[in-house]
Amino acid sequence: MELRQLEYFVAVAEERNFTRAAERVHISQSGVSAQIRQLERELGAELFDRSTRTATLTVAGKAALEHARAALAAAAAVGQAVGEVTELIRGRLTVGMVVGCTVAPLFEALADFHRAHPGVQLSLQEDDSDRLVAGVHSGALDLALIGAAATTPAGLEAFTVISERLVAAVPPGHPLAGRSGVTLRQLLAHPVICMPPGTGLRAVLDRACAGQGLEPRIALQAGATDAIVDLAARGLGVAVLSASMAAHYRDRLTPVGIDDVDTPALLALVWRDTRNPALRELLVHGRRAFGGQGG
């Protein structure tokens, strides 16, 4: 049994797909499949049910998963312990980022960290916030930049980067363009363009609608702010953005406050613990890159 076999096994279990797992570990799909078949022969049991397109863990696979993760963590800890003694941090960090969120300070933090600690392999994964939070809880992710409504996830450490209210954003000539504020009901009289489910902005919007018994008419949704703004500027609906997002596009859209939606949309870094020295160092770079924002 080799560590790389355990690594491939964990990757397939977490991705639930051999192709995505192969992309994650940077080898061919056939290579991943062959190594897992060899691991199964050594263990005397199949680890995955391959009868469907999704790679589902068998009972034996479920029993093996946490032990495989523990073995990989123990192996990484050996390198970290030696690295701390020699003042050189090594290992690997897997960072998650909410889909459609391009935040330059995060990229700056990763770049600065890489220059300071080239012995640490960095991996960046994009997903919706719910899956990112689950990944941090399970240990599949060391750190994640997530969107949330009002509060950060329970059971995790957090550093809030942004906390601000939602606004509507409309092009010149739109019926809402001349107003200083609108109610949620007034906003929903128009088609809405917003972020997809799993993002902090959408969570705030959905929660506010549910609280007032309203059903939003989501005309279009996109994971990239530029796309939302471009669609709204073309008159296809009212964009729902955070205050800072809308301010960035004042040359194209006019922000209009939503008077009865007080719940803030959060953008936050979350992690489970800092026993990993590489993670501790990355958090230092993250706080520095974000300029001490949040808390």
Side-chain angles (χ1 to χ4, degrees), residues 18-290:
F18 278 83
T19 301
R20 289 197 300 268
E23 293 171 353
R24 171 170 153 181
V25 298
H26 307 296
I27 70 167
S28 67
Q29 179 180 338
S30 60
V32 170
S33 297
Q35 288 298 322
I36 290 180
R37 283 294 190 192
Q38 183 175 337
L39 179 60
E40 289 174 326
R41 286 194 294 270
E42 292 182 28
L43 294 174
E46 288 195 351
L47 301 174
F48 294 101
D49 178 356
R50 298 172 173 82
S51 61
T52 63
R53 297 186 64 179
T54 300
T56 306
L57 287 168
T58 61
V59 173
K62 292 177 182 177
L65 182 57
E66 289 307 313
H67 294 288
R69 284 175 173 154
L72 291 172
V78 173
Q80 290 167 6
V82 173
E84 288 190 82
V85 171
T86 60
E87 299 184 351
L88 178 65
I89 296 178
R90 295 187 176 89
R92 180 173 63 181
L93 288 176
T94 303
V95 179
M97 181 177 71
V98 63
V99 63
C101 183
T102 302
V103 181
L106 175 64
F107 302 153
E108 291 170 10
L110 293 175
D112 290 344
F113 175 84
H114 176 67
R115 284 191 289 268
H117 305 289
V120 179
Q121 178 185 343
L122 290 171
S123 175
L124 184 64
Q125 299 180 18
E126 192 177 45
D127 212 328
D128 68 51
S129 291
D130 292 341
R131 286 176 61 89
L132 293 176
V133 169
V136 175
H137 273 297
S138 71
L141 297 173
D142 298 292
L143 176 71
L145 181 70
I146 65 153
T151 59
T152 53
L156 296 178
E157 299 292 326
F159 171 66
T160 299
V161 174
I162 296 173
S163 175
E164 52 188 26
R165 294 177 61 171
L166 297 190
V167 300
V170 296
H174 190 278
L176 300 182
R179 308 189 60 160
S180 60
V182 295
T183 65
L184 183 60
R185 186 178 295 276
Q186 290 168 335
L187 166 64
L188 297 183
H190 303 271
V192 171
I193 305 171
C194 60
M195 292 280 182
T199 59
L201 294 179
R202 182 62 176 271
V204 173
L205 177 62
D206 288 346
R207 180 182 297 187
C209 290
Q212 296 191 35
L214 300 173
E215 186 70 32
R217 182 160 45 117
I218 307 298
L220 299 162
Q221 58 186 24
T225 307
D226 284 347
I228 292 175
V229 169
D230 196 39
L231 292 167
R234 295 172 187 273
L236 294 172
V238 177
V240 175
L241 303 168
S242 70
S244 64
M245 284 177 174
H248 185 69
Y249 294 95
R250 276 185 177 274
D251 59 327
R252 303 183 66 192
L253 299 177
T254 300
V256 180
I258 308 173
D259 296 334
D260 53 351
V261 178
D262 298 323
T263 301
L266 306 182
L267 192 66
L269 291 169
V270 297
W271 63 95
R272 191 170 59 171
D273 60 56
T274 54
R275 287 176 292 179
N276 183 336
L279 177 57
R280 291 198 299 268
E281 283 298 307
L282 180 55
L283 284 168
V284 170
H285 287 275
R287 290 177 183 273
R288 184 181 303 142
F290 283 109

